[in-house]
């Protein structure tokens, strides 16, 4: 190779590069309006991408997966309805066996029929120790899953578990495909096959997922033919692309959604939620473990102000883990901010105001640290407002931000601004949050709450099949939490969505802590009717 | 030249070994918990037993040296391992994303080098003139502007105000096919922003190099002999003025990669950037190791390229001496 030849080649390559670079702008079709304007396609912007689309690893475990169906599903009011099962399950033997009969003629999107063996395979794989499913404990009650012929499945439980039917919204996967792979790393994670109203047509990682209507869907072919979920992490960019017409809808923080309120082509949806923000008050801490301090804090916080100011009205005060409009909520426990009451409680318990305005009792200052995960603006605002309210009662709360890695080892001594909430049954959120047997077990019962009356009621609520008994149990828990608040519940956060106004039949469900991808006004996309 | 390339390749092997070993060591010492990252938000509701089971399944408790050796030996046989955070093989992750990052970086780089050189020559021609002052102050301003900010500004201007270009993604959000035309139109803004972030360095270096060369004897001699201004500028001054830029090309490669990281996330570009960040915070060893090795190779190749170009364009440099 002579140097001259190489020089020539280098120049030619540079020219070619230049030409490519120059031709790129000219090749543009122009126009930022990529969003479909026809009513049978929907483009939605969400903040996070699922790691996997395999239900075996937890995708769609609470129902609402567009690709899969569970034995049961939930309607707009979160009531259980039959899906892959013909009817609600038959419960026998004091709530120890649940029998489901499968719907006839359901096929996976590859044309293979759904059988009882697929159901058994799905549950057994999720329960397998080797499957990296983080929500496996939700199915802890199952002792055995058995197929009886091609269309009957029987679950035998270890203990009577009243809300068990609520767990069977778990999506069912085809054994003939998923059974041939490693559930943790197999291609089923990115190329799912299900029975649902939509099939995955493309997944461009980090950019978007595209779904196509399943024409053979057992519930009838959906009217909305294509669905695109664009992954846009940054809130501002999402709002920008919604504004530019690139997106039909998006989940937005309340302050950004407010800009779309007066837009005649778009509608704003405030989805009520179970998503609470709370302060854990660890029992092991000398200050937060004192019942008088807990009661005083509970009385001193101004929940109304937090919902109005921090959440821009897109949220409600939380008087316990269950939201005020939940059917299980105990009416009458709502309580406004009452500083005088807070001070009285502290006076009576011997917490005397010191020179700096902070109370103390036998040498112990009424001070503790409140941690919140860094980067979470909403939690930061809650933490600061909480500290300022506590100060008025003479309790010094030092607010500190940290990553979860730092927070985890300190959870047992320091308060944490935590969030959570599961829909479906009060047991789902309350048991892991409050039961003393789970105190400090991973992220369960972070405040190490220990109240025998609550434990007993939780067990009753879990085991009894009788509606009235369960209701009484959950009433007891909510009242006990007022008497001995192991957590200061602050707000339930609404999830705000903005969506183009081109369809009818849109509603929102009461949503869990996680949101955006599965829930949102698109929870029942398959039922939408294009507007004429 | 072949000898230089060969020698550098030999040298690259120990560098790669050290870099990947260092990466395993640092990642192991980082405070991030791979189990929590794997579980995502579900971890915040998980009990101890579940987290322990995941820890065992993912095998994250082995000493890092052992994991490195295991990774290295399987990588040499072509098996890059399984990415825990992406739930798929590393080779698949790279295959899906690398091509788009490479396209973005290559286009941006070529655009930056060409535009930077052109602007630099124009500015050097009349030093202190209005064009020079405009270009120089613009270059300084741009070098101070964070690329994230430039990107948002570009979206605001071109996508929102003027409605000329799409605001993000690889193709129109509603479309399913990846066509060349769509990719091209979606590439303009991210590549443009990335190019603009690199532009100042090339412009300023070329300007200085060409200006210095214009003041040198050979150029004055050429001018005295009555050669045309363009011959003097492009034939004489630019050639020697470009030399420092060639070194710069190699050293800008890491900057380009980190710049692409931000640009990709603002424009939802489906490249390797998001995967890199996730792999790092999730202590996803196999994916992170592959990405680190790739970045190292890119930097080494950039330096090799700079040296080769040096040899090609500067007659005083003999490649056999390098």
């Amino acid at each position: 190779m002579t140097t001259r030849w190489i020089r020539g080649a280098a120049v030619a390559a540079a020219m070619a590069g230049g030409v490519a670079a120059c031709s790129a702008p000219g090749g543009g079709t122009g126009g930022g309006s990529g969003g479909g304007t026809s009513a049978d396609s929907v483009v939605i912007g969400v903040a996070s991408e699922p790691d996997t689309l395999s239900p075996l690893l937890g995708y769609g475990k609470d129902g609402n997966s567009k690709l899969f169906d569970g034995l049961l599903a939930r309607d707009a009011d979160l009531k259980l309805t039959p899906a892959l099962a013909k009817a609600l399950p038959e419960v026998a033997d004091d709530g120890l066996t649940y029998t489901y009969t499968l719907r006839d003629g359901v096929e996976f999107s590859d044309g293979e029929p759904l059988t009882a063996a697929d159901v058994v395979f799905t549950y057994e794989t999720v329960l397998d120790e080797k499957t990296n499913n983080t929500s496996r404990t939700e199915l802890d009650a199952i002792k055995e899953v058995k197929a009886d012929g091609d269309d009957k499945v029987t679950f035998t439980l270890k203990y009577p578990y009243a809300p068990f039917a609520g767990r069977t919204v778990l999506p069912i996967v085809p054994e003939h495909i998923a059974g041939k792979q490693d559930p943790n790393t197999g291609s089923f994670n990115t190329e799912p096959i299900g029975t649902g109203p939509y099939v995955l047509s493309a997944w461009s990682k980090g950019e978007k997922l595209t779904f196509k209507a399943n024409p053979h869907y057992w519930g009838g072919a959906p009217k909305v033919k294509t669905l695109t979920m664009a992954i846009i992490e940054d809130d501002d960019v999402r709002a920008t692309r919604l504004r530019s017409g690139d997106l039909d809808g998006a989940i937005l923080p309340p302050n950004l959604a407010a800009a779309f309120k007066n837009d005649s082509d778009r509608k704003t949806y405030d989805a009520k939620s179970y998503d609470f923000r709370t302060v854990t008050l660890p029992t092991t801490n000398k200050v937060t473990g004192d019942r008088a301090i807990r009661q005083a804090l509970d009385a001193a916080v101004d929940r109304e102000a937090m919902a109005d100011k921090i959440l821009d009205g897109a949220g409600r005060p939380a008087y316990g883990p269950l939201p005020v409009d939940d059917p299980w909520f105990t009416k009458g426990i709502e309580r406004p901010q009452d500083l005088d009451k807070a001070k009285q409680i502290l006076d009576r318990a011997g917490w005397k105001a010191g020179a700096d305005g902070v109370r103390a009792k036998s040498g112990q200052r009424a001070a503790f640290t409140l941690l919140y995960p860094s980067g979470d603006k909403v939690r930061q605002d809650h933490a600061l407002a909480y500290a300022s309210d506590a100060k008025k009662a003479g309790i010094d709360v030092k607010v500190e931000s940290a990553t979860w890695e730092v927070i985890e080892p300190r959870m047992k001594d320091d308060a944490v601004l935590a969030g959570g909430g599961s829909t479906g049954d009060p047991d789902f959120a309350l048991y892991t949050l409050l039961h003393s047997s789970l105190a400090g077990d991973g992220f369960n019962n972070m405040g190490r709450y220990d109240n025998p009356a609550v434990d007993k009621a939780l067990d009753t609520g879990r085991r009894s099949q009788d509606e009235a008994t369960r209701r009484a149990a959950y009433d007891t828990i909510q009242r006990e939490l007022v008497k001995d608040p192991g957590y200061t519940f602050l707000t339930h956060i609404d999830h705000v969505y903005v969506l183009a106004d081109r369809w009818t039949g849109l509603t929102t469900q009461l949503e869990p802590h996680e949101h955006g991808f599965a829930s949102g006004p698109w929870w029942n996309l398959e039922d939408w009717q294009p507007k004429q | 030249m072949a000898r230089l390339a060969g020698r550098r390749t030999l040298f690259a092997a120990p560098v790669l070994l050290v870099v990947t070993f260092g990466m395993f060591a640092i990642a192991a010492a980082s405070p991030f918990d791979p189990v929590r990252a794997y579980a995502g938000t579900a971890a915040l509701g998980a009990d101890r037993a579940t987290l322990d089971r995941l820890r065992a399944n993912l095998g994250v408790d082995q000493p890092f040296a052992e994991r490195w050796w295991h990774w290295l030996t399987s990588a040499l046989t072509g098996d890059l391992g399984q990415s825990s955070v992406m739930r798929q093989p590393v080779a698949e992750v790279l295959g899906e994303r690398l091509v788009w990052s490479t396209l973005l970086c290559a286009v941006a780089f070529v655009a930056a080098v060409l535009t930077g050189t052109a602007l630099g020559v124009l500015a050097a021609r009349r030093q202190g003139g209005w064009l020079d002052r405009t270009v120089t102050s613009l270059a300084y301003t741009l070098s101070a502007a964070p690329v994230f900010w430039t990107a948002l500004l570009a979206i605001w201007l071109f996508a929102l105000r003027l409605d000329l270009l799409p605001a993000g993604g690889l193709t129109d959000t509603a479309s399913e096919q990846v066509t060349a035309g769509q990719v091209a139109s979606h590439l303009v803004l991210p590549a443009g922003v990335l190019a603009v972030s690199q532009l100042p360095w090339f412009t300023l270096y070329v300007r200085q190099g060409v200006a210095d060369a214009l003041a040198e004897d050979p150029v004055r001699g050429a001018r005295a002999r009555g050669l045309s201004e363009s011959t003097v500028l492009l034939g004489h001054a630019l050639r020697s003025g470009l030399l420092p830029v060639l070194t710069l090309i190699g050293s800008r490669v890491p900057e380009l990669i980190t710049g692409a990281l931000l640009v990709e996330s603002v424009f939802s570009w489906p490249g390797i950037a998001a995967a890199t960040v996730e792999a790092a915070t999730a202590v996803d060893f196999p994916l992170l190791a592959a990405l680190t090795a790739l970045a190292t190779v890119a930097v080494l190749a950039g330096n090799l390229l700079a040296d080769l170009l040096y040899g090609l364009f500067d007659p005083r440099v003999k490649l056999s001496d390098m």
Side-chain angles (χ1 to χ4, degrees):
Chain A
M1 270 200 293
T2 66
T3 313
R4 175 189 292 267
W5 183 87
I6 298 167
R7 268 180 208 168
V11 170
M15 300 250 306
V19 170
C22 295
S23 72
T29 48
S33 51
T37 38
S38 71
D40 65 359
S41 88
V42 183
V43 184
I44 287 160
V46 291
S48 60
E49 185 173 27
D51 298 314
T52 165
L53 291 178
S54 169
L56 300 174
L57 295 185
Y59 168 71
K61 69 181 178 65
D62 298 318
N64 279 359
S65 157
K66 296 282 163 268
L67 302 168
F68 296 94
D69 295 298
L71 291 170
L72 303 181
R74 289 186 186 280
D75 66 7
D77 302 323
L78 297 180
K79 283 218 167 58
L80 288 169
T81 54
L84 292 181
K86 260 184 196 153
L88 294 178
E90 291 162 39
V91 187
D93 295 345
D94 297 331
L96 278 173
T97 57
Y98 282 67
T99 308
Y100 294 80
T101 309
L102 296 184
R103 192 180 288 275
D104 295 324
V106 177
E107 285 179 358
F108 287 103
S109 57
D110 65 347
E112 291 287 320
L114 167 89
T115 66
D118 294 312
V119 179
V120 174
F121 166 77
T122 303
Y123 281 88
E124 283 183 344
T125 312
V126 171
L127 285 169
D128 188 344
E129 286 276 322
K130 290 201 180 61
T131 307
N132 294 338
N133 187 313
T134 36
S135 322
R136 177 172 165 271
T137 38
E138 294 184 352
L139 300 177
D140 202 38
I142 299 178
K143 187 163 102 191
E144 196 181 28
V145 198
K146 253 187 156 159
D148 180 4
D150 262 358
D151 66 343
K152 255 202 173 82
V153 180
T154 306
F155 294 87
T156 312
L157 305 188
K158 294 176 200 157
Y159 47 86
Y161 186 47
F164 178 71
R167 292 298 189 206
T168 55
V169 298
L170 183 84
I172 302 303
V173 305
E175 184 181 17
H176 66 273
I177 296 171
K180 294 189 183 116
Q181 320 177 345
D182 179 345
N184 296 327
T185 53
S187 61
F188 194 75
N189 283 308
T190 49
E191 296 158 15
I193 302 282
T195 56
Y198 287 86
V199 292
L200 181 74
S201 63
W203 185 359
S204 168
K205 284 277 180 73
E207 189 201 3
K208 65 186 173 190
L209 295 98
T210 320
F211 302 91
K212 264 202 156 38
N214 176 1
H216 309 297
Y217 185 51
W218 55 267
K223 291 282 189 298
V224 176
K225 297 294 175 212
T226 59
L227 162 67
T228 308
M229 301 291 253
I231 316 298
I232 306 160
E233 270 177 64
D234 190 85
D235 292 337
D236 292 301
V237 176
R238 217 175 315 117
T240 302
R241 287 179 62 178
L242 182 63
R243 167 84 50 214
S244 78
D246 190 29
L247 304 174
D248 292 319
I251 175 157
L252 290 176
N255 57 340
L256 286 175
F260 293 92
K261 276 250 159 73
N262 299 320
D263 199 327
S264 59
D265 300 335
R266 295 187 179 90
K267 266 190 168 170
T268 304
Y269 298 84
D270 282 5
K272 303 273 177 279
S273 83
Y274 271 76
D275 192 0
F276 58 72
R277 292 294 174 272
T278 189
V279 175
T280 66
L281 300 171
T283 41
T284 35
N285 182 304
K286 280 207 183 79
V287 178
T288 57
D290 187 295
R291 186 182 285 211
I293 293 275
R294 297 158 172 243
Q295 287 173 334
L297 285 167
D298 194 76
V301 290
D302 190 351
R303 300 177 168 91
E304 299 279 351
M306 290 185 187
D308 286 346
K309 302 273 162 51
I310 300 175
L311 303 175
D312 268 330
R316 289 144 305 145
Y319 301 105
L322 300 176
V324 284
D325 39 14
D326 185 54
W328 293 90
F329 178 75
T330 301
K331 295 267 183 309
I333 60 166
E334 299 94 334
R335 48 205 184 275
Q337 183 189 30
D338 191 345
L339 271 178
D340 290 336
K341 188 179 161 200
K343 287 174 185 159
Q344 274 172 26
I345 295 169
L346 290 171
D347 284 340
R348 234 180 296 143
W351 290 93
K352 295 277 180 310
D356 57 351
V358 179
R359 289 165 186 268
K361 181 180 174 180
S362 12
Q364 175 71 50
R365 279 179 91 238
F368 63 93
T369 305
L370 171 59
L371 300 164
Y372 70 89
S374 41
D376 190 330
K377 178 84 170 43
V378 173
R379 290 196 202 200
Q380 178 184 336
D381 291 347
H382 274 91
L384 292 172
Y386 186 75
S388 133
D389 286 343
K391 183 124 219 158
K392 289 175 197 153
I395 300 170
D396 181 24
V397 179
K398 198 169 140 259
V399 175
E400 214 179 287
S401 83
T403 62
W404 281 111
E405 277 78 13
V406 175
I407 295 175
E408 190 185 355
R410 289 174 60 181
M411 286 187 319
K412 67 177 194 302
D413 298 317
D414 293 326
V416 179
L417 212 126
S422 308
T423 48
D425 193 281
D427 174 78
F428 295 169
L430 298 192
Y431 194 87
T432 51
L433 185 73
L434 300 170
H435 205 283
S436 64
S437 66
L438 297 174
D441 178 4
F443 288 85
N444 289 331
N445 194 352
M446 282 164 69
R448 291 161 198 255
Y449 189 64
D450 186 356
N451 182 330
V454 169
D455 282 356
K456 192 162 163 271
L458 282 169
D459 289 328
T460 312
R462 165 163 279 208
R463 278 151 203 264
S464 169
Q465 295 285 332
D466 177 44
E467 175 88 12
T469 316
R470 297 196 73 204
R471 190 160 287 282
Y474 289 111
D475 276 353
T476 310
I477 293 167
Q478 293 176 71
R479 288 181 200 287
E480 278 298 322
L481 274 173
V482 178
K483 282 189 235 157
D484 178 18
Y487 298 78
T488 317
F489 290 92
L490 304 175
T491 55
H492 279 101
I493 293 182
D494 288 356
H495 300 149
V496 185
Y497 305 89
V498 177
L499 201 63
D501 189 17
R502 293 205 306 269
W503 305 273
T504 57
L506 277 69
T507 51
T508 55
Q509 287 176 314
L510 201 55
E511 297 188 356
H513 179 50
E514 290 87 17
H515 56 278
F517 198 81
S519 10
W522 38 88
W523 74 272
N524 65 344
L525 188 87
E526 57 274 20
D527 299 332
W528 291 8
Q529 301 292 330
K531 264 190 188 166
Q532 294 307 315
Chain B
M1 182 163 167
R3 273 185 56 200
L4 173 71
R7 212 144 24 95
R8 289 293 185 81
T9 316
L10 280 182
F11 174 68
V15 170
L16 275 174
L17 281 184
V18 171
V19 168
T20 52
F21 185 80
M23 179 237 110
F24 270 80
I26 292 171
S30 80
F32 295 115
D33 182 355
V35 173
R36 172 140 345 87
Y38 181 89
T41 45
L44 298 176
D47 57 337
R48 179 55 48 204
T50 302
L51 295 175
D52 288 346
R53 186 171 51 87
L54 276 183
R55 196 171 296 279
N57 285 359
L58 295 174
V60 294
D61 277 343
Q62 296 162 12
F64 76 88
E66 194 179 306
R67 306 194 65 185
W68 174 73
W69 183 247
H70 180 74
W71 172 81
L72 188 71
T73 44
S74 13
L76 287 177
T77 62
D79 175 17
L80 291 175
Q82 303 283 345
S83 161
S84 66
V85 69
M86 299 288 163
R87 270 73 155 175
Q88 65 187 126
V90 170
E92 226 171 82
V93 178
L94 296 182
E96 277 171 7
R97 295 171 181 254
L98 196 60
V99 54
W100 302 122
S101 285
T102 314
L103 178 71
L104 175 67
C105 287
V107 170
F109 198 58
V110 169
V113 170
L114 293 185
T115 328
T117 309
L119 285 177
V121 170
L122 286 178
R125 226 176 118 206
R126 298 254 182 288
Q127 264 193 301
W130 66 269
L131 187 68
D132 180 31
R133 271 182 286 156
T134 317
V135 167
T136 324
S137 42
L138 200 67
Y140 280 119
T141 315
L142 280 179
S143 68
V147 61
F148 187 77
W149 180 83
T150 331
L152 285 178
L153 191 71
I155 293 185
W156 174 79
L157 184 63
F158 293 103
L160 281 189
R161 290 275 122 182
L162 306 175
D163 198 19
L164 281 176
L165 292 163
L170 180 66
T171 53
D172 288 347
T173 319
S175 101
E176 278 169 66
Q177 263 84 43
V178 181
T179 62
Q182 285 211 358
V183 173
S185 75
H186 281 75
L187 182 64
V188 179
L189 275 189
V193 167
L194 191 55
V196 160
S197 75
Q198 299 296 311
L199 194 62
W201 308 98
F202 293 110
T203 308
L204 293 173
Y205 266 75
V206 170
R207 175 186 168 275
Q208 194 59 45
V210 172
D212 288 350
L214 280 177
E216 276 169 16
D217 286 344
V219 173
R220 269 188 287 175
R223 276 205 173 126
R225 288 202 306 277
L227 292 176
S228 75
E229 182 65 20
S230 64
T231 315
V232 171
L233 198 64
L234 300 178
H236 294 77
L238 179 59
R239 180 181 270 203
S240 55
L242 269 185
L243 292 177
V245 178
L246 297 180
T247 341
L248 192 63
I249 286 182
S251 65
R252 293 312 294 177
V253 169
E255 278 287 319
L256 192 71
I257 296 174
T258 46
L261 226 88
L262 291 170
V263 169
E264 281 186 10
S265 76
V266 174
F267 289 97
S268 309
W269 189 258
I272 208 79
T276 311
V277 176
E278 256 186 87
T281 53
V283 202
D284 182 349
F285 282 101
L287 183 56
L288 195 56
L291 291 173
T292 314
L294 271 176
T296 314
V297 167
V299 172
L300 291 175
N303 283 326
L304 176 63
L305 181 74
D307 287 344
L308 289 178
L309 289 176
Y310 228 94
L312 290 175
F313 286 96
D314 190 345
R316 290 166 301 181
V317 175
K318 280 213 184 89
L319 285 173
S320 51
D321 293 343
M322 288 175 83

